[in-house]
């Protein structure tokens, strides 16, 4: 890095190669290329930029045209970044069984995410993307067949690897295949410019698409016609779809692959954990799987060999997957013991009483009382939430109102709007005197006091709150079914 960039897109690529110091056997040099250093945390940022800029250059993508693609997540996240920067609407199709972190990231970046049934697998989400593209005239990226995917890796990833090993011989390059773009794009350059480097491809041991040597049924346009007969569900999201992509098949037919290694899902999980805890490298399951392949290779290769493993992404998009299944959210027994080793600030002991106030209590002013009166008698905004800007209980109420499309006025007493002359404090004093409650939030409907977060949630579950809304002529979406208590902050759950 170390310079100014004109946009986030200029930061794609130039990811570091890092030595693995503790996990590999002695006598073998094991390295990893950390694609998590791309701006959106995965190797697919390269694919996204390459495909979009190629389509622009060829006139296939018009200004303002919607982009669509099927993705397990990382490609969609990369495309969401590129499309946000370039101004293209983006729709992605994604099987429902992929991690929720990914779909939320894409939506955060402005993309629309259309889920497809898990039973339809990767080919189902791909078919949906094709269907939508044809119906609406959208640009389909076709990451699994698009030569621009592989070409971008030939222009960026491969030269980076050659530069990193310009002073020593690279004996093995280890990768998964996924779309086949990284595999085809890098392998063909290595075969030309570093012919001594063996290309080793990893795949799940229970889903050996390449290892089976069975052909992939394919349509005339290169897209898969059906799921591969050897596909089985596996842990490595995005590493191997339920078909062999055209780009991967190109690499096979061109003789670019020297060895195929089957990887156990349990080995992938353990390698990811070991990378984090012994090397300080935070990565996902697919990265752990690729490293597991490198470790397997290191057991039998010649002493002094240099092995480079591609680590595709970061671990943050696997929080809801088996990778984090054993990672506690609450304190473990060991952590509880640490807490108990000193006397203060503990959940299992009563808090110390707050210090006596040193300043005079804030009193309501005529201005504050008039403000309160005006707000509670404003028939154009019958639902009023007196809140604090960053209070999690206030946000829980905002979530409920948002889900049900309930229009409301939020008076955020601690916001900059109410800070002059402590107007927010005096309004709160007037509010407390009016209701007899000292806590925030406080909710009114049609000038009637409902209560705080708990009272509103109780009334919503019983239907009483909806009756208040109808009485006050408040329009809202009464078809929404939601347990309001599910909207509370997670830290309210019982602790150890």
């Amino acid at each position: 890095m170390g310079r100014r960039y004109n946009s986030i897109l200029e930061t794609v690529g130039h990811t570091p190669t890092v030595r693995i110091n503790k996990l590999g056997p002695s006598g073998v040099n094991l390295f990893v290329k950390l694609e998590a250093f791309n701006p959106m945390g995965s190797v697919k940022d390269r694919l996204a930029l390459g495909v979009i800029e190629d389509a622009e250059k060829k006139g296939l993508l018009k200004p303002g045209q919607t982009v669509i693609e099927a993705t397990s997540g990382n490609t969609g996240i990369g495309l969401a970044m590129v499309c946000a920067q370039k101004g293209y609407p983006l729709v992605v199709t994604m099987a429902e069984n992929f991690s929720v972190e990914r779909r939320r990231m894409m939506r955060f970046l402005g993309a629309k995410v259309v889920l497809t049934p898990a039973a339809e697998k990767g080919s189902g989400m791909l078919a949906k993307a094709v269907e939508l593209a044809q119906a609406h005239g959208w640009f389909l990226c076709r990451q699994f067949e698009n030569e621009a995917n592989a070409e971008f890796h030939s222009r960026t990833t491969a030269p980076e690897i050659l530069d990193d090993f310009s002073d020593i011989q690279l004996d093995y390059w280890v990768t998964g295949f996924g779309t086949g773009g990284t595999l085809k794009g890098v392998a063909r350059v290595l075969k030309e410019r570093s012919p001594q480097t063996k290309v080793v491809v990893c795949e799940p041991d229970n889903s050996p698409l390449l290892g089976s040597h069975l052909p992939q049924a394919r349509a005339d346009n290169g897209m898969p016609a059906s799921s591969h007969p050897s596909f089985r569900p596996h842990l490595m999201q995005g590493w191997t779809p339920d078909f062999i992509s055209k780009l991967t098949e190109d690499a096979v037919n061109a003789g670019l692959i020297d060895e195929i290694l089957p990887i156990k899902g349990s080995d992938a999980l353990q390698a990811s954990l070991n990378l984090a805890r012994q090397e300080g490298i935070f990565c996902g399951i697919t990265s752990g799987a690729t490293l597991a392949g490198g470790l397997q290779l290191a057991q039998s290769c010649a002493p002094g060999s240099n092995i480079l493993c591609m680590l595709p992404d970061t671990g943050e998009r696997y929080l809801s997957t088996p990778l984090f299944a054993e990672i506690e959210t609450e304190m473990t027994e060991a952590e509880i013991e640490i807490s108990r080793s000193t006397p203060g600030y503990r959940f299992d002991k009563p808090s110390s009483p707050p210090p006596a106030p040193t300043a005079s209590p804030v009193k309501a002013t005529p201005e504050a009382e008039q403000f309160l009166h005006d707000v509670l008698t404003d028939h154009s905004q019958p639902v009023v939430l007196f809140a604090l800007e960053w209070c999690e209980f206030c946000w829980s109420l905002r979530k409920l109102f948002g889900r049900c499309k309930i229009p409301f006025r939020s008076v955020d007493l601690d916001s900059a709007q109410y800070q002059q002359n402590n107007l927010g404090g005096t309004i709160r004093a007037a509010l407390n005197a009016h209701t007899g409650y000292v806590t925030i939030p406080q909710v009114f409907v049609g000038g009637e006091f409902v209560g705080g977060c708990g009272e509103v949630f109780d009334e919503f579950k019983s239907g009483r709150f909806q009756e208040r809304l109808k009485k006050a002529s408040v329009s809202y979406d009464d078809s929404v079914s939601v347990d309001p208590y599910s909207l509370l902050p997670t830290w309210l759950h019982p602790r150890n």
Side-chain angles (χ1 to χ4, degrees):
M1 298 297 179
R3 67 180 180 88
R4 294 188 303 274
Y5 295 90
N6 292 316
S7 84
I8 190 66
L9 304 183
E10 292 184 358
T11 69
V12 173
H14 306 289
T15 56
T17 291
V18 177
R19 177 186 288 274
I20 297 299
N21 295 292
K22 300 175 184 176
L23 300 180
S26 60
V28 175
N29 302 310
L30 190 59
F31 300 89
V32 294
K33 188 164 176 62
L34 299 178
E35 290 299 297
F37 277 67
N38 281 299
M40 289 311 301
S42 92
V43 68
K44 298 302 179 64
D45 291 357
R46 298 180 189 258
L47 178 165
L49 183 58
V51 166
I52 294 299
E53 291 193 336
D54 177 76
E56 290 175 327
K57 182 179 179 181
K58 294 177 178 177
L60 302 174
L61 179 59
K62 309 299 183 184
Q65 186 178 7
T66 295
V67 175
I68 185 167
E69 183 60 320
T71 174
S72 63
N74 282 335
T75 296
I77 292 167
L79 281 170
M81 170 194 65
V82 175
C83 289
Q85 202 285 323
K86 288 179 171 285
Y88 298 108
L90 174 66
V91 176
V92 299
T93 58
M94 180 175 171
E96 63 182 333
N97 55 314
F98 292 121
S99 65
V100 296
E101 297 84 53
R102 302 180 186 209
R103 67 179 83 157
R104 295 184 77 180
M105 288 179 68
M106 288 183 280
R107 287 172 175 145
F108 190 86
L109 285 159
K112 299 289 191 298
V113 181
V114 176
L115 300 179
T116 58
E120 302 296 331
K121 297 170 282 193
S123 53
M125 68 184 188
L126 179 56
K128 184 64 175 179
V130 172
E131 182 181 79
L132 288 169
Q134 292 174 346
H136 300 291
W138 295 340
F139 172 71
L140 179 64
C141 294
R142 299 172 60 91
Q143 61 175 317
F144 300 102
E145 304 88 46
N146 196 331
E147 181 60 30
N149 177 358
E151 177 58 30
F152 197 83
H153 285 286
S154 293
R155 288 191 288 110
T156 65
T157 318
E160 290 171 28
I161 291 171
L162 291 170
D163 287 346
D164 290 342
F165 288 87
S166 60
D167 58 337
I168 59 174
Q169 176 172 299
L170 176 59
D171 298 295
Y172 299 93
W173 179 64
V174 186
T175 185
F177 57 92
T179 69
T182 306
L183 170 61
K184 180 181 178 180
V186 173
R188 63 186 175 192
V189 175
L190 292 181
K191 289 299 180 185
E192 177 184 348
R193 297 176 55 185
S194 182
Q196 76 281 0
T197 303
K198 289 183 170 56
V199 174
V200 180
V201 175
C202 302
E203 63 179 354
D205 67 339
N206 68 324
S207 188
L209 274 61
L210 298 184
S212 71
H213 303 292
L214 296 175
Q216 170 67 55
R218 202 172 298 284
D220 293 340
N221 61 2
M223 299 180 71
S226 62
S227 292
H228 192 277
S230 295
F231 176 79
R232 299 293 183 273
H234 56 81
L235 285 174
M236 294 71 134
Q237 293 186 17
W239 211 33
T240 308
D242 65 305
F243 53 85
I244 299 173
S245 71
K246 178 63 167 59
L247 295 175
T248 301
E249 188 173 277
D250 290 346
V252 173
N253 293 339
L256 300 179
I257 300 173
D258 295 294
E259 187 174 354
I260 299 170
L261 288 180
I263 306 298
K264 294 180 181 179
S266 57
D267 289 346
L269 295 176
Q270 189 61 53
S272 297
L273 191 65
N274 290 344
L275 272 168
R277 295 185 174 179
Q278 297 184 48
E279 299 285 348
I281 296 173
F282 186 48
C283 64
I285 301 175
T286 53
S287 297
T290 310
L291 180 70
L295 291 170
Q296 185 177 325
L297 191 66
Q299 299 298 326
S300 58
C301 66
S305 295
N306 297 309
I307 303 171
L308 175 64
C309 300
M310 293 294 292
L311 302 195
D313 65 3
T314 176
E316 289 182 354
R317 54 205 55 171
Y318 295 85
L319 296 175
S320 62
T321 73
L323 182 60
F324 280 80
E326 302 302 320
I327 306 301
E328 298 288 346
T329 56
E330 303 300 333
M331 286 196 293
T332 64
E333 288 298 323
E335 290 163 344
I336 291 171
E337 285 304 310
I338 294 173
S339 174
R340 289 173 176 166
S341 67
T342 59
Y345 310 99
R346 285 162 42 178
F347 294 116
D348 59 341
K349 291 184 65 176
S351 300
S352 301
T358 57
S360 300
V362 177
K363 295 181 180 180
T365 63
E367 179 187 10
E369 290 174 345
Q370 185 62 49
F371 177 91
L372 182 63
H373 174 270
D374 292 344
V375 167
L376 297 183
T377 57
D378 183 356
H379 299 297
S380 68
Q381 294 179 306
V383 181
V384 182
L385 167 65
F386 289 92
L388 302 175
E389 277 195 309
W390 302 113
C391 166
E392 291 183 280
F393 294 98
C394 300
W395 275 103
S396 297
L397 282 168
R398 292 187 182 104
K399 288 178 187 177
L400 176 63
F401 294 165
R403 292 272 185 94
C404 300
K405 296 183 173 59
I406 299 171
F408 69 101
R409 175 176 181 174
S410 184
V411 180
D412 299 333
L413 298 170
D414 61 339
S415 65
Q417 179 181 357
Y418 298 104
Q419 286 183 7
Q420 187 173 2
N421 298 323
N422 195 23
L423 178 59
T426 59
I427 293 172
R428 184 168 183 175
L431 180 67
N432 296 346
H434 181 76
T435 64
Y437 275 53
V438 297
T439 57
I440 294 291
Q442 295 188 32
V443 175
F444 291 78
V445 176
E448 294 183 358
F449 178 54
V450 180
C453 188
E455 288 81 5
V456 172
F457 283 1
D458 285 343
E459 285 204 359
F460 186 88
K461 292 193 73 171
S462 70
R464 171 65 178 147
F465 191 75
Q466 293 88 325
E467 292 176 6
R468 289 182 185 272
L469 295 175
K470 292 173 182 176
K471 180 180 176 182
S473 300
V474 177
S475 298
Y476 67 98
D477 187 352
D478 60 2
S479 67
V480 174
S481 176
V482 59
D483 176 6
Y485 284 98
S486 69
L487 306 177
L488 287 169
T490 55
W491 58 263
L492 282 174
H493 296 171
R495 291 188 180 87
N496 288 333

